[in-house]
Amino acid sequence: MRCPKIQHLTSILLLAAAILPFSAVARPFVLVLSQDDLSDPAATPNYPSGSDDVTDFDDFPESESKPDSVLDPGSWSPLFESDPSFGNQNPKDEVIYYDGVRKMVEAASTGEFRIMEEAVADIEASAAAGQPQGQSVLGFLYSMGMGKEKSDAKAFLHHHFAAQGGNMQSKMALAFTYYRQEMHDKAVALYAELAEVAVNSFLISKDSPVVEPIRIHNGAEENKEALRKSRGEDDEDFQILEYQAQKGNAAAMYRIGIFYYFGLRGIRRDHSKALWWFSKAVERGEPRSMELLGEIYARGAGVERNYTKALEWLTLASRQQLYSAYNGMGYLYVKGYGVEKRNYTKAKEYFEKAADNEEAGGFYNLGVMYLKGLGVKRDLKLATKHFALAANAGQPKAFYHLAKMFHTGLGLKKNLPMATALYKLVAERGPWSSLARWALESYLKGDIGKSLLLYSRMAEIGYEVAQSNAAWILDKYGERSMCMGESGICTDAERHQRAHALWWKASEQGNEHAALLIGDAYYYGRGTERDYDRAAEAYMHAKSQSNAQAMFNLGYMHEHGQGLPFDLHLAKRYYDQALEVDPAAKLPVSLALASLWIRRNYANSFLVDIIDSLPEVHPRVEAWIENVIMEEGNATILTLFVCLLTVLYLRERQRRQAAAAEVAPRQQPFVQAAPVEH
């Protein structure tokens, strides 16, 4: 199965998906629209405008602050975060379900398979009672092969029943399955529903900071810099910032409030602490905190909802030239909250003020007004233009509306692959993304097994970063990853196969490092049967993303006729391309080009035989070093021998320096006497 390729169109509007900015090992999503993508006005359904809304488009959805367990039924948040809405009054089946999940997390953390067996029994009991959340986790166990045999068919079946019962994470899993299979008609319907849930949790005034899953590795090594910045209250930078805030620094107060409000930099989300810091900051005239207080009162986040107070704080922020606050004010006038009555004209004025100052929310809100004909003449081209400008600035709601336009054919020509891809970007910002925060916290605490479990759950529902992280943990930590298999801790074969499957999914979504590792797995037969043809296919995939190592590998395969036709000219071309992409490849490319020169000029000589024998000699030398030299006893003897040689060398050098010092005074310079005058 291959992930659907995103259609690249030409010309006018460039939308760089800033929603989920990838690292260097995963290419950013890029969408380009042209005039050809605009639908024919004559073919556009003649929807009425004004107060008769287009029912497929909710103009300005309610923005309520709800816990994950409400927005995402069956969320594991009660196990990781305090949730006042969760208590002993829950139905018996739900209690059994959470007992099962708690035991599953404990088993992953301790490596006790007996506890995993108890967890599986509880989850099966919950699923048998018709509990959708139990069905969802049972599907996850079958998908991964944890405590159950690995079966994609059974996983799909359980996720199907769970999704019908309203489980959001199972809907994500099904949507991703359809997406991989290019079944866009089914994928788009699920992602549309999930994206709507995500959008309804966004802010009214401006887009929240991107809370993206952290990539815990940077290729083969741990991503130490990103991890350092994610240690929450234990981070030295945060402690310095907190000290500055306690000393009265208003900007520091605002930043700490932001960390608590959104749960950034490894800080646990806490609306009450955020409210306290924002309130302290506004006492010192900090305008950005005024806007966030407006958001808090409008959403009822940690306080009783109060639209009048929300409007007061947003108005104060706007007077401090904080133009994004105009979006919140316009929203209140559109909905008629905290004001005498709805006033589209007033709302449009506020949105235009925000847009005139390059605020993405202003572009988005104007797009909605032109799309719906709210206080203006309905104009789909202007709506598309404003959504494009907002999306270009990374406004996720704009991506949502563009996806809906591609989905319905309203204003843009119907394009299900494009709609699916855009919906997916927005859906991945839904409340289920909290899994990433819990997984990272576990990793930073050294609880690798729990981290692997959480990343694996995210990987199943389609997050590329989680697929990459889970695979890296399996490869990096081996047995210490606490990987749970069908009947115990994973065997080497089970672990390699699971990592291979995860890398493959990540590579389908644009992770070039994953594609490279997949190629290596097939080339060397790691965790799978050796297959040069599939290795070449994976390297081609990585090469298409300008990966120098993949280009070099393709050149090598052409040079030796492995999985690709024997062709020295193509080999040279790939070697040259590798050097163009990465100048650091100069040494290996130079050696490879020297090898090509020998093949051309001494095709049947012993030199070619020596070159061809090197790949066989290298692993033997490596194995000899590992098994003989690095064996504990031999390594100790070798170390002592090297130390002895070093001591003898230093003593000999000292003896020679002393001897030279003794000879020097005896050798007085000869001075010729001046001639005596007579």
Side-chain angles (χ1 to χ4, degrees):
M1 293 181 291
R2 295 186 304 111
C3 189
K5 293 182 179 178
I6 305 304
Q7 182 178 358
H8 288 265
L9 306 169
T10 56
S11 211
I12 317 175
L13 303 174
L14 173 65
L15 309 181
I19 299 178
L20 293 175
F22 295 103
S23 74
V25 293
R27 297 293 166 181
F29 180 95
V30 176
L31 166 66
V32 184
L33 297 179
S34 75
Q35 192 70 27
D36 293 337
D37 295 304
L38 299 176
S39 62
D40 183 359
T44 300
N46 186 26
Y47 289 121
S49 61
S51 60
D52 298 322
D53 290 343
V54 179
T55 55
D56 281 346
F57 286 79
D58 187 1
D59 48 1
F60 294 92
E62 301 293 337
S63 292
E64 294 187 42
S65 180
K66 297 179 181 178
D68 286 352
S69 57
V70 175
L71 295 170
D72 179 20
S75 166
W76 298 355
S77 61
L79 304 179
F80 294 94
E81 297 183 10
S82 58
D83 186 350
S85 66
F86 185 82
N88 296 326
Q89 71 276 15
N90 294 55
K92 181 180 178 181
D93 293 340
E94 192 166 300
V95 172
I96 294 174
Y97 160 74
Y98 277 109
D99 280 345
V101 174
R102 179 184 55 77
K103 291 175 183 176
M104 180 177 66
V105 172
E106 182 183 351
S109 181
T110 62
E112 292 286 339
F113 192 74
R114 174 188 55 80
I115 301 176
M116 177 60 78
E117 290 176 323
E118 295 176 6
V120 172
D122 285 345
I123 291 166
E124 284 183 319
S126 174
Q131 232 268 352
Q133 316 346 326
Q135 293 275 12
S136 178
V137 176
L138 193 55
F140 168 61
L141 295 176
Y142 276 115
S143 174
M144 291 289 134
M146 292 195 306
K148 307 293 292 183
E149 74 276 14
K150 180 171 172 53
S151 173
D152 291 337
K154 289 183 179 180
F156 181 88
L157 187 65
H158 285 291
H159 280 309
H160 174 75
F161 288 128
Q164 285 188 327
N167 185 274
M168 293 297 175
Q169 293 187 29
S170 280
K171 290 180 182 181
M172 284 286 288
L174 288 179
F176 182 61
T177 299
Y178 292 135
Y179 180 65
R180 292 185 70 207
Q181 296 173 344
E182 301 187 20
M183 299 172 67
H184 300 298
D185 55 334
K186 293 185 176 181
V188 76
L190 287 167
Y191 275 134
E193 179 184 351
L194 293 158
E196 183 176 358
V197 173
V199 164
N200 286 341
S201 67
F202 294 165
L203 302 187
I204 64 170
S205 180
K206 65 177 181 180
D207 183 31
S208 61
V210 175
V211 185
E212 69 170 65
I214 299 296
R215 199 176 299 277
I216 63 175
H217 67 98
N218 187 7
E221 301 300 325
E222 189 176 66
N223 191 352
K224 296 186 183 299
E225 181 61 20
L227 294 175
R228 184 188 67 79
K229 294 179 179 179
S230 305
R231 295 190 177 275
E233 295 176 345
D234 295 330
D235 180 34
E236 184 179 348
D237 290 346
F238 177 82
Q239 293 171 356
I240 293 172
L241 190 68
E242 187 176 37
Y243 175 78
Q244 293 173 339
Q246 290 169 348
K247 290 296 183 180
N249 187 312
M253 294 173 181
Y254 164 75
R255 288 185 63 192
I256 289 180
I258 284 287
F259 289 160
Y260 280 117
Y261 189 61
F262 295 111
L264 301 175
R265 300 281 294 265
I267 301 294
R268 185 61 61 87
R269 188 182 301 159
D270 190 325
H271 288 158
S272 61
K273 285 186 178 180
L275 176 64
W276 191 86
W277 281 111
F278 289 144
S279 299
K280 286 289 183 182
V282 296
E283 289 175 5
R284 296 178 175 270
E286 215 292 319
R288 294 170 296 178
S289 297
M290 297 175 186
E291 180 184 10
L292 267 299
L293 283 176
E295 292 282 355
I296 286 173
Y297 280 109
R299 288 163 56 86
V303 295
E304 184 178 351
R305 177 175 284 190
N306 188 323
Y307 289 118
T308 303
K309 279 192 174 182
L311 182 60
E312 289 174 0
W313 283 116
L314 290 168
T315 302
L316 286 172
S318 68
R319 289 173 182 169
Q320 299 291 325
Q321 296 186 332
L322 202 66
Y323 301 110
S324 55
Y326 286 119
N327 292 312
M329 295 167 67
Y331 171 87
L332 295 176
Y333 275 100
V334 165
K335 303 294 283 188
Y337 295 154
V339 295
E340 292 182 4
K341 61 179 181 179
R342 289 188 179 188
N343 189 329
Y344 292 142
T345 302
K346 193 83 170 175
K348 180 172 176 286
E349 289 177 6
Y350 285 134
F351 294 150
E352 285 176 339
K353 285 183 178 180
D356 288 343
N357 289 277
E358 304 298 321
E359 275 294 329
F363 293 128
Y364 164 76
N365 291 323
L366 286 173
V368 173
M369 297 195 81
Y370 281 110
L371 174 71
K372 301 294 296 284
L374 300 175
V376 295
K377 183 180 178 181
R378 192 159 184 263
D379 190 324
L380 296 181
K381 284 190 176 181
L382 274 178
T384 304
K385 173 188 173 183
H386 282 100
F387 286 145
L389 290 169
N392 228 6
Q395 226 292 346
K397 295 179 187 176
F399 280 92
Y400 173 70
H401 272 296
L402 286 170
K404 207 147 200 174
M405 294 172 83
F406 275 122
H407 185 189
T408 61
L410 180 67
L412 291 168
K413 290 180 181 177
K414 199 167 187 177
N415 186 330
L416 293 187
M418 187 71 76
T420 304
L422 291 172
Y423 276 140
K424 182 176 185 289
L425 285 172
V426 180
E428 288 183 348
R429 292 193 66 176
W432 34 88
S433 64
S434 296
L435 286 162
R437 185 168 65 253
W438 306 330
L440 180 62
E441 287 176 356
S442 300
Y443 184 84
L444 291 172
K445 292 175 181 177
D447 196 338
I448 306 303
K450 186 187 293 185
S451 179
L452 174 62
L453 176 75
L454 293 165
Y455 278 131
S456 296
R457 177 60 162 173
M458 282 192 79
E460 186 200 23
I461 63 179
Y463 287 82
E464 179 275 321
V465 175
Q467 292 161 358
S468 171
N469 285 348
W472 185 82
I473 287 174
L474 288 167
D475 285 343
K476 178 74 173 179
Y477 289 91
E479 293 181 358
R480 291 182 295 145
S481 67
M482 301 297 181
C483 169
M484 291 286 174
E486 179 180 349
S487 55
I489 295 294
C490 288
T491 63
D492 288 345
E494 284 178 319
R495 195 168 56 251
H496 283 308
Q497 289 169 3
R498 191 175 298 177
H500 179 82
L502 289 165
W503 283 127
W504 188 259
K505 290 177 181 178
S507 72
E508 289 177 341
Q509 299 199 76
N511 187 317
E512 64 185 51
H513 177 70
L516 188 65
L517 289 176
I518 290 295
D520 290 346
Y522 280 121
Y523 187 88
Y524 295 107
R526 295 172 183 164
T528 184
E529 293 184 6
R530 179 173 287 187
D531 188 329
Y532 289 138
D533 292 335
R534 298 196 73 174
E537 181 183 350
Y539 289 144
M540 281 289 187
H541 185 56
K543 177 256 179 186
S544 68
Q545 299 169 62
S546 302
N547 185 283
Q549 180 66 61
M551 295 172 183
F552 183 91
N553 292 353
L554 289 169
Y556 184 88
M557 295 178 79
H558 271 301
E559 181 183 351
H560 294 83
Q562 296 174 327
L564 293 171
F566 177 78
D567 191 323
L568 298 184
H569 293 290
L570 278 177
K572 183 179 185 304
R573 182 181 302 174
Y574 280 122
Y575 288 144
D576 290 340
Q577 287 179 356
L579 185 58
E580 288 176 10
V581 171
D582 186 3
K586 185 173 183 178
L587 177 59
V589 168
S590 298
L591 294 173
L593 292 175
S595 170
L596 286 180
W597 183 84
I598 291 173
R599 286 185 188 280
R600 284 201 188 99
N601 295 279
Y602 302 95
N604 298 316
S605 71
F606 73 96
L607 294 174
V608 174
D609 294 334
I610 293 175
I611 293 172
D612 288 339
S613 68
L614 290 177
E616 298 177 5
V617 172
H618 177 266
R620 294 177 186 173
V621 173
E622 188 176 42
W624 180 77
I625 292 173
E626 183 176 351
N627 298 327
V628 180
I629 299 297
M630 299 310 294
E631 195 272 331
E632 185 175 358
N634 293 341
T636 302
I637 293 171
L638 180 62
T639 303
L640 291 173
F641 181 68
V642 171
C643 290
L644 178 61
L645 289 178
T646 304
V647 170
L648 292 174
Y649 167 74
L650 292 175
R651 289 188 64 182
E652 178 63 18
R653 190 174 70 170
Q654 186 179 22
R655 187 190 66 78
R656 291 184 179 183
Q657 289 174 346
E662 290 178 5
V663 172
R666 300 174 187 172
Q667 297 177 347
Q668 297 296 333
F670 175 75
V671 180
Q672 185 175 5
V676 179
E677 294 185 4
H678 297 283

